Amino acid sequence: EPEVTQTPSHQVTQMGQEVILRCVPISNHLYFYWYRQILGQKVEFLVSFYNNEISEKSEIFDDQFSVERPDGSNFTLKIRSTKLEDSAMYFCASKVGLKSYNSPLHFGNGTRLTVT
Amino acid sequence: AQSVTQPDIHITVSEGASLELRCNYSYGATPYLFWYVQSPGQGLQLLLKYFSGDTLVQGIKGFEAEFKRSQSSFNLRKPSVHWSDAAEYFCAVGHNAGGTSYGKLTFGQGTILTVHP
């Protein structure tokens, strides 16, 4: 069964550094998402992306965050200047576009970001 | 605003015993409801979903859930738990405003399931 793949599985960075989290969604999917889960807290929606633009973003997704689909397969989340509170597990997810309401959201295994 | 409450943070059951994980939601329209499972080091795997129709839905791994509109609940059940079911379980409500909103999920806090041999 096709999978959403995320790299790296664990990223350690220093405060103030830029990080890029990478995702390869399922190939025929058109809707893309990032979620995050701070340790001990709920999984939270960050952003949705379709047709090369952001569809919706949460309050968490401020100017420090950006997303991009640089080619036909990758979907990236960039954090420009990381803060300690950005430490979390980041999940990428994708979904087919057409008749989307009853198609499942497929999640990757996540990237654990640790900011020191 | 929509929300999901999972009242039980941690549940312990014996292998072979029945299981029920509780989920209550708050959503202004007809909800799309999901249960996901997360094993350590793994991503979120969809167990089952409810969109419409039969309020008792069957999922993978022998799980089922029942949508009760009057109680705003979507409890997950399994008649006989296996040791491999030990994991964290998340209930979620999906948005139905069209387009990418169908993939915008609001999650509960999660329930950790421990299975004793």
Side-chain angles (χ1 to χ4, degrees):
Chain A
E1 185 177 325
E3 294 181 339
V4 176
T5 55
Q6 291 186 243
T7 55
S9 57
H10 192 182
Q11 173 94 42
V12 181
T13 189
Q14 288 191 326
M15 196 167 50
Q17 295 297 304
E18 175 185 285
V19 293
I20 297 176
L21 309 183
R22 303 181 190 280
C23 170
V24 179
I26 295 173
S27 61
N28 65 333
H29 286 187
L30 299 178
Y31 292 170
F32 311 114
Y33 305 81
W34 284 100
Y35 285 78
R36 81 171 185 189
Q37 183 183 27
I38 295 172
L39 190 64
Q41 298 186 23
K42 296 183 180 185
V43 178
E44 302 172 288
F45 167 80
L46 290 179
V47 65
S48 58
F49 188 88
Y50 169 66
N51 200 25
N52 283 318
E53 59 183 26
I54 290 173
S55 303
E56 190 173 355
K57 57 185 180 181
S58 71
E59 293 174 352
I60 304 165
F61 195 90
D62 61 21
D63 292 344
Q64 292 300 310
F65 291 87
S66 62
V67 289
E68 193 178 34
R69 189 155 162 82
D71 52 42
S73 59
N74 290 283
F75 179 51
T76 62
L77 174 68
K78 182 193 291 186
I79 309 175
R80 265 180 269 282
S81 178
T82 51
K83 302 187 280 283
L84 293 176
E85 54 264 39
D86 294 327
S87 295
M89 180 75 90
Y90 288 81
F91 292 104
C92 174
S94 69
K95 192 171 170 53
V96 300
L98 191 62
K99 295 183 180 177
S100 176
Y101 80 96
N102 62 350
S103 65
L105 188 62
H106 293 260
F107 284 87
N109 284 349
T111 293
R112 178 162 297 285
L113 176 65
T114 302
V115 182
T116 61
Chain B
Q2 56 282 339
S3 65
V4 177
T5 302
Q6 294 178 245
D8 305 305
I9 296 173
H10 194 173
I11 283 184
T12 300
V13 299
S14 298
E15 191 169 17
S18 63
L19 172 71
E20 182 169 27
L21 302 183
R22 296 183 290 165
C23 172
N24 293 98
Y25 69 89
S26 172
Y27 190 67
T30 301
Y32 295 155
L33 296 161
F34 306 84
W35 275 98
Y36 282 85
V37 61
Q38 184 182 28
S39 298
Q42 301 296 309
L44 295 159
Q45 182 183 23
L46 180 67
L47 282 177
L48 47 76
K49 61 185 188 290
Y50 170 79
F51 289 105
S52 63
D54 194 345
T55 56
L56 184 64
V57 293
Q58 303 297 320
I60 62 171
K61 305 184 181 187
F63 285 92
E64 67 178 26
E66 186 170 12
F67 169 58
K68 292 185 178 180
R69 185 186 297 275
S70 61
Q71 298 176 20
S72 297
S73 69
F74 189 57
N75 294 348
L76 181 72
R77 301 194 293 249
K78 186 169 185 178
S80 178
V81 169
H82 188 262
W83 64 266
S84 61
D85 294 324
E88 189 162 16
Y89 292 79
F90 294 92
C91 181
V93 62
H95 298 233
N96 57 7
T100 54
S101 76
Y102 295 127
K104 180 186 174 186
L105 304 184
T106 298
F107 284 85
Q109 187 78 22
T111 298
I112 298 171
L113 175 65
T114 299
V115 181
H116 280 323

